Amino acid sequence: MVCEISQSFFFDAAHTLDRAIETAASRRIHGHTYNAEVFLTGQPDPATGMVTDLGLVRRELALLREQLDHHLLDEVPGLGPTTLENLCQFIFSKLLPALPTVTSVRVWRVSIGDGCRVTRPL
């Protein structure tokens, strides 16, 4: 049986964005509270009963959160334009080396109701 586990976290960050609509507001430095959830999928280990130890997941998320929380996202190396799509892909790529069972990352902003999810095919 395949199981999917998840762990969520949040971070507050500022950014700018060059876009064709809502141009003036987007180009000014502004901030959001971002929520993120990481999904890990696999067969539970027979000895531990776990797909991945959630303590390990929380440790890796804490390290990643330090790179994002209370930062100007425009200055985060490797992120690119600060879209939800790029945030999802950035989080995914940063976690994959330490958490190879990561299959999906979701990022959303409750205050304005938008979000994105990137998923790796199984």
Side-chain angles (χ1 to χ4, degrees), residues 76-98:
V76 173
L79 179 56
T82 56
T83 63
L84 290 171
E85 295 89 342
N86 283 344
L87 276 167
C88 281
Q89 292 176 56
F90 177 82
I91 292 168
F92 196 106
S93 68
K94 290 293 184 180
L95 294 175
L96 194 57

Side-chain angles (χ1 to χ4, degrees), residues 22-93:
E22 300 171 352
T23 306
S26 295
R27 286 186 180 156
R28 286 192 303 268
I29 295 175
H30 61 282
H32 303 282
T33 296
Y34 294 90
N35 294 280
E37 188 170 16
V38 175
F39 298 85
L40 305 99
T41 305
Q43 297 282 339
D45 180 280
T48 66
M50 295 182 264
V51 171
T52 301
D53 189 320
L54 284 170
L56 173 63
V57 175
R58 283 188 288 275
R59 182 183 75 195
E60 294 301 319
L61 293 181
L63 293 171
L64 176 62
R65 188 174 185 268
E66 288 178 16
Q67 297 175 48
L68 302 171
D69 192 41
H70 287 85
H71 284 272
L72 179 60
L73 296 178
D74 302 55
E75 298 174 351
V76 173
L79 179 56
T82 56
T83 63
L84 290 171
E85 295 89 342
N86 283 344
L87 276 167
C88 281
Q89 292 176 56
F90 177 82
I91 292 168
F92 196 106
S93 68

